[in-house]
Each structure stands twice: as structure tokens, then as C-alpha cells.
Amino acid sequence: MPSADDPPPRTVTINHPGIHLSLTPDPLSIDAITSHVRSPKAGAIVIFAGKPPPLPSSYSFIPSSLPPSHFTPLPPLTPSPHRHDPRLLRQQAREIALTLLGIARGVKEKYGLQGIAMVHRLGTVPIGEESIIIAVSAPHRTEAWRAGEEALELCKEKVEVWKMEEFEGGEGVWRANRDGAVGERVGGSKGVEREREE
């Protein structure tokens, strides 16, 4: 299992005509990411900015009413002892970026987009800061709305990023980046338990 102490990989960026993708440990900027999709041919820009929830009260594993202290998305699980190797984490970040590229190309072509940008943050993400931003531009709003939603759903389905939801008191849960994914509870007096989102 990844450790919250693993160093985040350096920024990995891919730029193609009309496509900007990045995985970064740095705070995300909506304006900077949106600048990659602006076009005089675009009549609409749709932006999705995902943040860790301030209080995931729908999660049954919350040990108290306190919100998570921070949120740590990391690349997928890797076999021990290599999972702590920074070179392997960088390699996995590059593989994730290539998955994002496949998603971006498909969505851009399907909806006739002028541009698409998908940026995912790696490492610790404090509550209130964005962990992912997706921006799309299209000649018309309908295509932009649909493309933005599809890009997000494909990202959740295909991109192998794990997240550690940490709570006050040292407990936390590692989760895959999917709705309803099984999580693994760590820390606290109960040790490690398998849990599932409701």
C-alpha cells in the first residue's frame, strides 16, 4: 500500500494541439488551466473543479464528526518493495498521463472540442483545494457540457489514482479513484479494515 510519506512524483505534462494534460504536486489554478482551452472559435467553456469533501458524512467509516485533515491522491498500488521507489512513482505518473491522453483525444474528437485540459494533483491536497480540474471548450454549450461530464466519468473509471482520506486521530482510508470503490482503513485502534463507500 502506498504511504502518505511517499514523495509525490515530479510534474508530468503532455501537450498536443488542443490538449493539455498534467499530473502535479503543485496547487492547481483554474485560470491557468482554462487558458489552455480558450479559443476565438469556442462559444462555451465548461470547467469542473473537484475538491475533497469538507465532511464526507455519507462514509460509514468516519470515526468521528471531524472532517478529514487532508486528502492524498497517489498513483496506483505497486508490489512491495518497489512501491516506495520514486522512479517507479514517476513511471506510474507517466502511464497515468498517457491514459489521460487517450481519454482527452477520444472526448475531443467525439464532441468536436476546440480544447481540453485535464490536470490532476498528486500528493497531499488540503481540504478546500482542488484535486482535479477539467476544462473543455466547444463551439456550443451542449457539446461542452457533455464533453466535460464524459471526461470526468472516464477519468474516474480509467485513471489509476489512489487517494488516502485521513481523519483527525490518525485514522484514514485508501480508496481507488472510483465511485463505490472498496477502501482499506488504516490507523487507529482497529488497525486495517476493508470498507466500501455507500
Side-chain angles (χ1 to χ4, degrees), residues 33-167:
I33 295 165
T34 303
S35 72
H36 292 284
V37 302
R38 292 195 186 283
S39 167
K41 296 179 182 178
I45 294 176
V46 169
I47 302 162
F48 171 80
K51 298 181 179 190
L55 182 62
S57 59
S58 64
Y59 297 163
S60 60
F61 56 80
I62 293 180
S64 71
S65 61
L66 296 173
S69 58
H70 66 276
F71 173 92
T72 305
L74 290 172
L77 295 177
T78 55
S80 199
H82 304 292
R83 69 174 179 240
H84 300 291
D85 182 346
R87 290 173 296 168
L88 185 56
L89 290 174
R90 284 191 295 277
Q91 176 187 341
Q92 289 173 330
R94 285 190 294 273
E95 290 170 8
I96 292 167
L98 291 175
T99 300
L100 287 173
L101 180 59
I103 292 168
R105 282 179 170 162
V107 170
K108 184 176 185 288
E109 182 177 331
K110 180 177 179 178
Y111 293 99
L113 300 178
Q114 294 300 309
I116 181 169
M118 300 173 72
V119 181
H120 204 301
R121 189 161 170 194
L122 299 178
T124 300
V125 180
I127 298 302
E129 293 186 17
E130 289 81 10
S131 58
I132 184 170
I133 296 176
I134 298 172
V136 300
S137 63
H140 305 286
R141 69 180 182 273
T142 301
E143 291 81 7
W145 281 115
R146 289 180 181 158
E149 183 176 22
E150 185 166 320
L152 174 63
E153 294 306 320
L154 288 171
C155 184
K156 289 183 73 68
E157 176 185 328
K158 296 182 177 188
V159 175
E160 292 291 331
V161 175
W162 287 77
K163 58 188 176 185
M164 168 66 126
E165 296 170 346
E166 292 186 64
F167 302 93

Side-chain angles (χ1 to χ4, degrees), residues 173-184:
V173 176
W174 280 106
R175 293 196 183 282
N177 195 32
R178 291 172 179 76
D179 291 333
V182 172
E184 190 167 307

